[in-house]
Amino acid sequence: MRDMDSYMPNVDSERLLGNTAASHQLSVALLEFLPDAAVCVSRQGVILHMNSAAEQMFGCRSAALAGQMVAAVLPDSDTVWQVENDGGWSESKSFCLRDEQEVQAVHCSGKKFAAALTVKQLPAADGLYLLTFVQDEMDRLQRKQRGEAALCEMQHRLLDSEENERQRLAQDLHDGPLQELHSLDFKLVAMARTNQDEQQQTQLTEMRSTLRQLARHLRAICQDLRPPALTPFGVSAVIRSFAEGFQREQLAISVALDLEDDDQRLNERTRLALYRICQQALRNVAHHANATHVFVGLALKENQVELRIEDDGQGFAVPSNWMAMVQQGKYGLLGCIERAEAIGGRVTIRSALGEGVHLRAVAPIHLPADQPADQPEINQ
């Protein structure tokens, strides 16, 4: 075992431990819940406690290191923090809290080993830090995979929650305001039959026309929230209906369709995702592309479904980082990418200024429940 005397702090560690007694006790209880090797360190750099995983990693009991400087297990800690004149720690320019960083840690036998270190500041009045170490590469890979699986599951739940809310709103609109409008229209019809005044007849006719227009608008909103044809007729029929409505509204844009019938081979989540991607892409064409032609294609090839939307508009410079567009308040294409990932698929977007936009979304026809989403491909 290494000589620990050289790592003793220049502060009274007993007084320090006494001042942080409450925080120390809390950290001891919480650290045992962590699966990774975890070390609780004071603001002055003194080790307060290690959990059992850290004891196993460093080869000694927590009590043997309590009161020692963190350099006892992290000899290059001076590259992580700089000791200030008042005995406190500050972040060095080469290290960022919460970022995982490769470090050289040291076993109590004196043997050094590589580990991934993450530092988090605990919300304690005395300023405690939590150091977590991951040594085994396989453990790190498994942790990353667990994180990706958790993220994928979270995407599923968020999108499912959004679609459930859309369905609820569509049902409420259909069962509430739309039915009331129909009822009011019947009453106006009855009034028109018994009223012989020509001027009032004209007014009643105008009122009925306004009511019918409002009812059509509400039905369109219901259709947008949750297309009722999606389940019985499939995504091809719904995309065709939406594209035809798009054509009626955008007379200056010619729409060409090549939609293969999905024959009920796609599950509900995949159908919804493809429909939402098409919906968003066509809205982008209407609002931003300045295009004259747009093509929408859907094809099923073996175990994969492919959706393509291509326009001849002004195009745009594809960003290297989509978060830059989010920061500008532009969420549409990122939403398409996220929806494709949530069904185990991916989106490829090709565009350049003056060359239109080519969007291609592919996804498996039968999505395995535990398959993580691929990363989107973005080609410029």
Side-chain angles (χ1 to χ4, degrees):
M1 183 170 178
R2 297 185 63 183
D3 180 7
M4 297 297 180
D5 292 340
S6 59
Y7 297 124
M8 288 299 292
N10 295 322
V11 296
D12 186 347
S13 60
E14 292 298 327
R15 178 176 59 82
L16 172 67
L17 291 172
N19 290 341
T20 60
S23 298
H24 183 199
Q25 292 174 2
L26 180 61
S27 69
V28 170
L30 294 178
L31 257 59
E32 292 304 323
F33 287 96
L34 299 178
D36 297 330
V39 180
C40 184
V41 179
S42 75
R43 182 172 177 268
Q44 284 75 13
V46 179
I47 296 175
L48 302 180
H49 182 73
M50 300 192 305
N51 66 0
S52 56
E55 289 179 335
Q56 184 176 359
M57 175 178 287
F58 293 105
C60 56
R61 303 286 294 177
S62 176
L65 288 177
Q68 303 286 342
M69 288 296 289
V70 71
V73 295
L74 194 62
D76 295 331
S77 60
D78 56 337
T79 65
V80 178
W81 292 282
Q82 301 293 333
V83 178
E84 297 177 336
N85 293 332
D86 64 354
W89 281 0
S90 64
E91 295 179 57
S92 74
K93 296 181 180 179
S94 62
F95 192 85
C96 179
L97 290 177
R98 300 179 185 274
D99 283 351
E100 188 174 85
Q101 180 163 318
E102 292 287 342
V103 296
Q104 284 290 320
V106 62
H107 192 271
C108 285
S109 65
K111 182 180 178 180
K112 289 187 177 182
F113 60 90
L117 169 67
T118 304
V119 181
K120 296 181 181 179
Q121 187 171 5
L122 297 177
D126 299 294
L128 299 182
Y129 292 84
L130 178 66
L131 282 63
T132 54
F133 297 85
V134 180
Q135 179 183 6
D136 188 85
E137 184 65 27
M138 185 59 68
D139 288 343
R140 294 172 62 189
L141 179 61
Q142 291 175 350
R143 186 177 64 169
K144 180 181 178 181
Q145 291 175 340
R146 288 196 300 269
E148 290 176 347
L151 179 60
C152 186
E153 178 63 22
M154 183 178 69
Q155 284 181 315
H156 286 172
R157 291 182 181 275
L158 287 174
L159 291 176
D160 287 347
S161 176
E162 178 184 331
E163 292 297 341
N164 289 337
E165 182 64 15
R166 286 172 177 263
Q167 186 174 18
R168 185 191 66 79
L169 287 173
Q171 192 67 45
D172 288 348
L173 286 173
H174 180 271
D175 295 343
L178 264 175
Q179 299 306 315
E180 293 176 4
L181 286 176
H182 290 317
S183 176
L184 185 56
D185 186 51
F186 290 143
K187 292 178 180 178
L188 290 176
V189 170
M191 290 176 62
R193 289 174 178 172
T194 59
N195 196 315
Q196 302 301 319
D197 185 276
E198 184 175 344
Q199 184 177 1
Q200 291 183 357
Q201 285 276 6
T202 301
Q203 292 176 343
L204 289 172
T205 301
E206 292 175 352
M207 292 173 64
R208 288 193 63 203
S209 177
T210 301
L211 284 177
R212 290 176 178 177
Q213 184 177 358
L214 181 57
R216 284 195 297 270
H217 183 60
L218 285 178
R219 277 195 295 270
I221 293 176
C222 292
Q223 171 82 14
D224 183 64
L225 288 171
R226 182 65 177 234
L230 191 63
T231 299
F233 299 108
V235 68
S236 301
V238 175
I239 288 179
R240 183 180 301 277
S241 176
F242 183 80
E244 290 172 351
F246 174 88
Q247 178 70 91
R248 289 191 295 270
E249 294 178 0
Q250 306 294 328
L251 298 178
I253 303 177
S254 173
V255 180
L257 302 176
D258 184 11
L259 305 175
E260 181 181 343
D261 193 345
D262 59 280
D263 294 325
Q264 303 290 340
R265 293 171 61 190
L266 304 176
N267 61 35
E268 191 76 3
R269 180 180 282 163
T270 302
R271 294 181 190 181
L272 272 171
L274 293 173
Y275 171 67
R276 297 298 180 202
I277 291 171
C278 180
Q279 195 178 41
Q280 182 62 56
L282 288 181
R283 284 174 176 167
N284 284 352
V285 172
H287 296 152
H288 308 296
N290 194 24
T292 57
H293 296 86
V294 62
F295 168 80
V296 181
L298 183 76
L300 283 77
K301 304 175 181 179
E302 297 180 355
N303 296 323
Q304 180 175 279
V305 58
E306 177 189 72
L307 172 68
R308 290 190 297 133
I309 300 100
E310 303 172 357
D311 69 69
D312 64 349
Q314 61 191 7
F316 69 101
V318 177
S320 58
N321 182 2
W322 286 100
M323 292 308 297
M325 298 193 73
V326 172
Q327 291 168 356
Q328 298 172 14
K330 300 175 182 179
Y331 302 95
L333 290 177
L334 181 62
C336 293
I337 292 172
E338 290 179 343
R339 286 188 178 277
E341 289 178 345
I343 57 173
R346 66 184 186 276
V347 164
T348 303
I349 298 171
R350 293 190 296 107
S351 183
L353 293 177
E355 297 184 8
V357 178
H358 298 250
L359 183 150
R360 178 175 178 265
V362 294
I365 291 179
H366 299 292
L367 176 63
D370 57 350
Q371 177 179 327
D374 294 332
Q375 293 297 317
E377 294 179 4
I378 300 175
N379 301 319
Q380 187 166 353

